[in-house]
Amino acid sequence: MCVRRELVTAKIAKKNREVREENLLYCGLCPWFGKTGTSDMNCFRLLVCLLMMNRVLLINFSGGDRPGLTSSLAEILATYRVRILDIGQAVVHETLTLAILIEVPSGEEFTPLKKDLIVRAHELDLKIKFTPVSDEAFDHWVRSQGKFRFIVSVLGRVVTAEQLAKASSAISRHGFNIDRIERLSGRLSLTGRLENANACIELEISGEKDASGALRAELMELTHRFEIDIAFQRESIYRRNRRLVAFDMDSTLIQAEVIDELAKLHGVGEQVSAITASAMRGELDFKQSFTRRLSLLRGLPAVRLNDLLHTVQLADGAERLISTLKMLGYKTAILSGGFTFFGKHLQARLGIDYVFANELEIDDEALTGRAASEIVDGKKKAELLAAIAAKENISLDQVVAVGDGANDLPMLNVAGMGIAFHAKPLVRKSANHAVSHLGLDSILYLIGVRDRDLDRPEFRSSGAG
C-alpha cells in the first residue's frame, strides 16, 4: 500500500513540475530555461523575484474557448483582492485570447496567486503568460487616453487579406496603431454563400498626432484600386448615438430620377436626362437646371403621376435600413429636389417622419411646367436639415445625411456624418464618407450595428410587430 501511495505521489509531483516548467516557458521571463545545469527551481525563484518588483502585471491567456473560462479565472483573482486595471477579450473561430492588467494590493504576495493561476490555466487547457509592467510603462498607458482615436470601416462583398494588408499598412505608415479589430457582418458559409452578402471589418485606431487627413486620402485611394468602401470617422460620444438620418430621394432612396421618368412618359426623356446628368455632376446651377427640366413637362396629364408609384424601385437595402432605424428610435427625413407626390408615397410606405420636396403646379388636370412652392436646392436642404434637428432637439453631430448629387453636398457637410451613396465622382471626393459597392443597409455598420444584433429573436419579433 505504501509503495502504491509513493508511486501516486511521485506522479503528481512530476505532473506539477511539468506544468510549472511549461508555464515558466510561456511567461517569457526566464533566460536560463532549458540551459544545461540550470534547475527549474532557480527559474522559479527568478520569476518570483521579478514579479515581486512590480505591483502592476499583465496576464495573457489563450486557448480554446468555452463557457466559464473568464469566471473561473476571475474567481482566483477575487480571492487575492486583485484590482482590475484593464481587460480585453476576443474570440476568433472559437479560440480565446484574454488579457488582464492587474494591480496586486500592497503587502500581498504574488507567489500564491501566481501558483493558483498556473494550475487553473492548466486545468482549463489554457496557455498563460506573465508580463511585469514598469511604472514608466504604466504611466505611458495612462497618458495615452489623450490620443487621437478614429474608426476605420472596411466594407465590400468580401474583404481579402490583400485589402486588409494595404489598409493596415497605410494606418501604420501615418503613425496610428490598431487597438481593436471586429467583424460587424454576419458569418459566411463557404458552401452556401448568399448572393450580395455583405462583409465589414471595423478597426479602432489611435495615434499621438492627428494625421487623419493624410491617412483618409490614402485610404480613399484604396477604394479605387479595390471593390471596397472605406469609411473613416472620429471616435466620439456621438458615433454610436446618432438620432436623425436624412435622405435625398432620387437615385439615393429610390433607383431612379423621378423627373426623368416623368419626362419619358411625356416623350421628352432624352432632353431632360441630359440636363439632369449635367446638374448632378455639378456643371449647372440646380435651380436653373430644375426650372428648365420642369418646363419640358408642361401639359403632362396629372393622372400619369400615379404610373410611377409602383414601378420605381427602392434602393437595395432601403427597407431594411429604414425599419431598423425606426426600431432603434431614429427620426428619418426625405430632403429632395424631386417631388412631394413621390416623397409622400415613400413616407406612407416606409414610415418616414419628415418629407420636404418640390410641389408640382397643376392646372386643368395637367402639369403647368412650374413649381408650386419654393424650389428645394442644396442650400435649402441644409437649412431644412438644421431646422428638423433643432425641432427634435438633436445636435447636428448626431445627424446622418445621405445623398448622391452635387446639390446634396451642403447637407452632407452640415451633418455629423455625411455619406455619398453611389454618388458621382465630385460628390464622392467632397463627402466625408462614401458607400459605392453595397446597399443602403450597409450604413448600419457605420453607426455600429452588427448583423448579429439584428438576427436576435427579440429584435425580429419586435420588428415584425
Side-chain angles (χ1 to χ4, degrees), residues 277-296:
S278 182
M280 297 304 285
R281 290 192 300 267
E283 298 169 357
L284 292 175
D285 172 78
F286 178 81
K287 280 190 176 180
Q288 291 177 340
S289 66
F290 180 78
T291 301
R292 286 172 54 188
R293 288 176 289 168
L294 187 55
S295 67
L296 294 172

Side-chain angles (χ1 to χ4, degrees), residues 205-249:
I205 66 174
S206 63
E208 300 289 348
K209 298 180 179 179
D210 187 359
S212 57
L215 175 57
R216 183 197 299 271
E218 185 166 345
L219 292 176
M220 290 307 102
E221 286 299 317
L222 294 180
T223 66
H224 301 307
R225 293 175 54 187
F226 303 103
E227 290 188 356
I228 56 172
D229 297 312
I230 301 179
F232 188 95
Q233 55 183 308
R234 187 177 298 275
E235 172 66 294
S236 72
I237 193 172
Y238 298 114
R239 191 180 76 84
R240 295 179 187 271
N241 190 30
R242 311 290 185 185
R243 295 177 56 198
L244 167 64
V245 182
F247 300 92
D248 173 47
M249 181 172 66

Side-chain angles (χ1 to χ4, degrees), residues 61-66 69 89-98 126:
F61 302 91
S62 62
D65 185 39
R66 63 181 184 276
L69 295 183
Q89 177 175 305
V91 177
V92 177
H93 194 59
E94 300 181 357
T95 299
L96 168 80
T97 299
L98 170 64
L126 296 175

Side-chain angles (χ1 to χ4, degrees), residues 41-85:
M41 184 54 67
N42 285 336
C43 292
F44 181 76
R45 287 170 179 164
L46 175 63
L47 174 63
V48 173
C49 180
L50 287 170
L51 294 180
M52 289 297 289
M53 293 170 60
N54 297 272
R55 293 178 57 207
V56 178
L57 193 76
L58 178 64
I59 310 174
N60 294 89
F61 302 91
S62 62
D65 185 39
R66 63 181 184 276
L69 295 183
T70 303
S71 63
S72 181
L73 297 168
E75 286 173 359
I76 293 178
L77 296 175
T79 303
Y80 291 90
R81 301 184 297 114
V82 164
R83 179 185 175 197
I84 305 295
L85 300 174

Side-chain angles (χ1 to χ4, degrees), residues 9 54 157 159 168 202 222 233 251 256 260 284 287 290 307-308 350 385 401 420 448:
T9 302
N54 297 272
R157 294 304 177 190
V159 176
S168 57
E202 181 180 275
L222 294 180
Q233 55 183 308
S251 297
D260 290 354
L284 292 175
K287 280 190 176 180
F290 180 78
D307 294 351
L308 299 184
L350 300 175
L385 183 62

Side-chain angles (χ1 to χ4, degrees), residues 308-365:
L308 299 184
L309 297 182
H310 303 290
T311 58
V312 174
Q313 299 296 309
L314 290 173
D316 290 340
E319 286 185 290
R320 182 172 184 260
L321 172 61
I322 299 296
S323 64
T324 302
L325 293 175
K326 287 169 56 66
M327 184 60 56
L328 296 176
Y330 281 68
K331 294 294 182 179
T332 54
I334 291 175
L335 305 178
S336 174
F339 302 113
T340 54
F341 83 92
F342 206 98
K344 290 179 179 178
H345 165 71
L346 293 180
Q347 182 177 35
R349 177 177 175 180
L350 300 175
I352 303 291
D353 294 297
Y354 294 92
V355 173
F356 291 95
N358 298 300
E359 189 74 36
L360 287 166
E361 184 181 80
I362 298 174
D363 185 36
D364 198 20
E365 299 185 351

